[in-house]
Amino acid sequence: MKTKYLKSILPAALLTFAASCTDLDVDIQSQYTEFPDSELASEARAANAYYAMRGPLSRDYNHAQSLSSDEVTPHSYGANDYYDNGRYTHMFLHSWTPDDPCIGYWETVAGGITTCNNLIAEFGDAENVAPTIASLRAVRAYYFFVLMDSYGDVPLLDHKLADDERIDRSPRADIARFIEKELLEVRDQLSEEVNASTYGMPTRWMADALLAKLYLNWAVYTCGDVTQYTPDLPNEKLNDLVAVCDEIIASGRFDLSDDYRSKFYPDNGYQIRDFIYAMPFDRETQQGMTYARWWTHRSGNIGFYGVDLPSSVGGIFGVTPDFLDLFCLTNDERNETIIGGPLYVRDPYTYEATDTPWMVDGQQVVLTRDIPLNPVDEIMGVDNTPHGGRSVGYRSIKFYMDLQTTAAQSRSQSNDVPIFRYADVLLMKAEAILRGATATNGDTPMSLINQIRDYVGAEEKVTDSVTLDDLLDERGREFADESWRRNDLIRFGKFEDDWGWKHIINPAAKTQLYRRIFPIPTGVMNTNTNWEQNPGY
């Protein structure tokens, strides 16, 4: 079992913030009696600033990115069970509103920015804190990226807020340029080490990966009006993207030597060579990650995993049939992260399927590829029976259920969640070259994609010219359930495409291009009455 590094050091209260950027000022210095007099002490003092995304990434942020894409079809049982006022189906149907909780993570991420700002102001010019300040600026840049990617124009709050200060939202393009400036200024001050001591922390390679992701979407973020973005808009940052990818590749600190499935198991951690930046989770001390709860057949807490689970599961997510078609390469290990058809009891030690059929009420459970709904409306309800509604849709077992979780731990899993991976660096470089960047080091889109296919064991290799559609499909296979699909579909101009039941239940989704960004949550708007809601909402 992995050993988690950097437990929460600061009081938990520092992770709870008020409702908006205008009232997030916290007097952190007053909670301590001595100023940090070493780099180690300052890092300990700053530790919780690095984990503001733990809550959103464990649920709402992941749901917002995945359910709004073609990856996942949610459903409810009957008219009420797990409908939750449309919490899940609104995201899938592209009918979300400013009141929907899945898009309500603004406050937590903005709180992370404020914590960074307060600590930077507190440290000032003290000795031995420059590396810590660089780390705080890097993770703050990531928080700005999350806000800007999700909501468009956001406040450029780069300092400790004064008591009477009001701050407006800045254009998305300005936020993108600020993120770039910050990362370029701090990247050489960040640690280049990749080990247990830097796991989950901002490093030089985290900054470079974030720069690459920023550059990949540069045309999206700087076009001014999200409804006017098209995939053929020029991207001036493509060669810069290739350059930062090349630095990560040349570092030699990352590779694809890990088995694909094991990278996402509950005992993953700093030893995974593919992980550039990850969010640590632990069922005891760093709780909240419950991905498997949503995918597991609702009767699956009894017997399916080879042991009985201490808590119930939701079981309302199914793989959208259109997305399922991507998992078609022969002997591709990624295919094994999705289960369907007749189910067999899993071995609790190897996680592999046994030869024992998984039986419920005397009948083997069979998951259906299609997800029929009755009635066809926004409730997306199915009947609540083991061999009926509970068995619609294939299921993901990528972030495998943590079988050591106890009832008192509220379904929390110890699976760490990767944010930036080496595999993504390779595919970002491939995409940049496809979109017009100069190829370097003999790499081509074909050779880069084939590196991915080699390590997952896929027999089919790319032998002809690669298209952008090929690249998007490969990204779908590689990064399923890792909160990147919405981002990818928008960049490729496919966020409004047909999939599943979306356009049957909500035909307006085809033309509502303003949904490429989310609305500002109602609570934030109520506090910041001088702001205007995003257009369309």
Side-chain angles (χ1 to χ4, degrees):
M1 182 169 299
K2 65 184 171 186
T3 299
K4 295 291 188 179
Y5 191 80
L6 284 173
K7 307 296 184 185
S8 296
I9 299 174
L10 297 185
L14 292 186
L15 291 179
T16 304
F17 297 91
S20 78
C21 285
T22 60
D23 58 357
L24 288 175
D25 195 15
V26 179
D27 184 5
I28 293 180
Q29 187 172 357
S30 66
Q31 301 182 40
Y32 301 91
T33 58
E34 295 182 5
F35 197 82
D37 58 359
S38 69
E39 181 180 341
L40 182 61
S42 63
E43 282 291 346
R45 185 83 164 268
N48 273 352
Y50 302 136
Y51 302 117
M53 272 299 288
R54 178 173 286 135
L57 198 63
S58 69
R59 183 171 179 177
D60 285 341
Y61 178 77
N62 173 258
H63 287 181
Q65 310 308 309
S66 299
L67 292 174
S68 65
S69 79
D70 60 353
E71 289 184 336
V72 187
T73 298
H75 56 267
S76 63
Y77 295 112
N80 296 306
D81 199 0
Y82 273 100
Y83 173 61
D84 292 358
N85 296 313
R87 181 186 188 113
Y88 314 103
T89 61
H90 286 178
M91 300 309 301
F92 175 78
L93 297 173
H94 286 205
S95 61
W96 55 78
T97 74
D99 296 313
D100 276 309
C102 279
I103 53 92
Y105 50 86
W106 170 298
E107 297 166 339
T108 302
V109 182
I113 291 172
T114 294
T115 303
C116 292
N117 289 339
N118 290 346
L119 286 166
I120 290 170
E122 177 189 346
F123 290 159
D125 297 325
E127 295 182 2
N128 302 312
V129 297
T132 302
I133 289 176
S135 295
L136 289 168
R137 290 173 66 186
V139 77
R140 182 180 66 179
Y142 170 59
Y143 298 152
F144 272 114
F145 175 87
V146 170
L147 284 182
M148 174 264 296
D149 179 75
S150 297
Y151 304 104
D153 298 351
V154 299
L156 208 170
L157 183 60
D158 62 349
H159 58 277
K160 184 174 182 178
L161 203 63
D163 291 340
D164 58 349
E165 184 177 358
R166 295 169 65 89
I167 186 166
D168 292 324
R169 294 161 65 195
S170 295
R172 196 186 206 187
D174 289 352
I175 302 297
R177 285 186 278 268
F178 170 76
I179 294 169
E180 178 189 32
K181 178 185 73 69
E182 286 289 286
L183 294 173
L184 290 176
E185 287 181 2
V186 305
R187 61 201 292 256
D188 290 335
Q189 303 173 48
L190 297 169
S191 174
E192 296 185 4
E193 295 300 316
V194 179
N195 52 42
S197 68
T198 60
Y199 186 66
M201 302 280 285
T203 64
R204 163 65 181 268
W205 317 114
M206 173 271 198
D208 280 355
L210 178 54
L211 268 174
K213 191 66 72 172
L214 179 73
Y215 290 154
L216 186 68
N217 293 280
W218 193 259
V220 180
Y221 298 148
T222 60
C223 71
D225 180 350
V226 294
T227 67
Q228 299 302 306
Y229 170 77
T230 59
D232 57 358
L233 285 177
N235 183 342
E236 63 183 298
K237 296 294 185 178
L238 292 178
N239 286 324
D240 295 321
L241 188 164
V242 169
V244 293
C245 287
D246 281 346
E247 291 209 31
I248 295 172
I249 294 168
S251 75
R253 288 170 166 82
F254 309 97
D255 59 46
L256 299 176
S257 59
D258 304 295
D259 170 79
Y260 184 82
R261 284 185 288 166
S262 67
K263 288 189 293 192
F264 309 100
Y265 284 167
D267 61 351
N268 64 354
Y270 71 89
Q271 73 277 10
I272 303 299
R273 296 274 296 175
D274 184 32
F275 288 5
I276 296 173
Y277 182 54
M279 182 60 64
F281 285 93
D282 184 271
R283 60 181 173 270
E284 295 181 359
T285 60
Q286 299 162 327
Q287 296 182 334
M289 194 283 191
T290 60
Y291 287 14
R293 169 192 180 190
W294 306 101
W295 288 103
T296 299
H297 187 287
R298 198 168 186 197
S299 303
N301 57 314
I302 306 299
F304 173 67
Y305 289 105
V307 296
D308 290 348
L309 303 179
S311 302
S312 63
V313 292
I316 61 167
F317 289 178
V319 180
T320 303
D322 310 72
F323 191 72
L324 182 62
D325 290 340
L326 297 180
F327 295 83
C328 58
L329 303 179
T330 307
N331 290 330
D332 187 341
E333 190 180 2
R334 296 171 297 190
N335 299 343
E336 302 303 316
T337 65
I338 296 176
I339 56 174
L343 296 188
Y344 293 83
V345 174
R346 313 294 294 194
D347 187 300
Y349 302 103
T350 66
Y351 303 156
E352 302 291 341
T354 68
D355 295 330
T356 304
W358 180 49
M359 310 290 284
V360 175
D361 296 340
Q363 181 179 343
Q364 185 175 14
V365 175
V366 179
L367 298 181
T368 65
R369 181 183 186 279
D370 294 327
I371 304 175
L373 303 175
N374 184 28
V376 180
D377 57 24
E378 74 159 26
I379 294 174
M380 297 180 65
V382 298
D383 70 82
N384 192 8
T385 60
H387 302 285
R390 292 189 179 192
S391 295
V392 300
Y394 281 33
R395 309 302 172 93
S396 171
I397 55 171
K398 181 172 177 175
F399 288 94
Y400 202 88
M401 179 68 76
D402 189 341
L403 303 182
Q404 303 301 314
T405 299
T406 67
Q409 293 161 354
S410 300
R411 308 182 183 90
S412 288
Q413 301 175 222
S414 292
N415 316 58
D416 295 347
V417 176
I419 297 171
F420 300 126
R421 295 205 276 124
Y422 182 71
D424 202 354
V425 170
L426 299 182
L427 292 183
M428 285 193 289
K429 181 176 181 179
E431 184 176 338
I433 296 171
L434 276 176
R435 294 188 185 276
T438 301
T440 59
N441 302 325
D443 289 333
T444 65
M446 182 173 67
S447 69
L448 292 163
I449 289 179
N450 281 337
Q451 285 188 55
I452 303 295
R453 294 202 179 176
D454 283 341
Y455 101 92
V456 297
E459 291 185 13
E460 295 92 334
K461 302 297 188 290
V462 180
T463 57
D464 300 319
S465 60
V466 178
T467 68
L468 284 171
D469 284 343
D470 295 333
L471 195 284
L472 180 61
D473 288 349
E474 200 68 41
R475 291 192 61 84
R477 285 184 281 266
E478 183 68 21
F479 305 112
D481 209 19
E482 293 184 51
S483 300
W484 286 118
R485 188 64 172 175
R486 167 186 164 271
N487 178 280
D488 289 342
L489 291 176
I490 291 171
R491 184 174 67 259
F492 279 79
K494 295 179 179 293
F495 193 57
E496 294 78 32
D497 284 3
D498 293 358
W499 60 73
W501 291 91
K502 179 177 62 163
H503 296 11
I504 297 172
I505 300 174
N506 180 27
K510 290 176 179 285
T511 57
Q512 293 178 339
L513 306 187
Y514 64 85
R515 291 190 180 275
R516 292 171 176 175
I517 54 174
F518 296 133
I520 309 303
T522 296
V524 176
M525 290 297 297
N526 287 344
T527 302
N528 299 277
T529 55
N530 57 311
W531 292 0
E532 292 185 5
Q533 181 57 270
N534 283 334
Y537 297 108

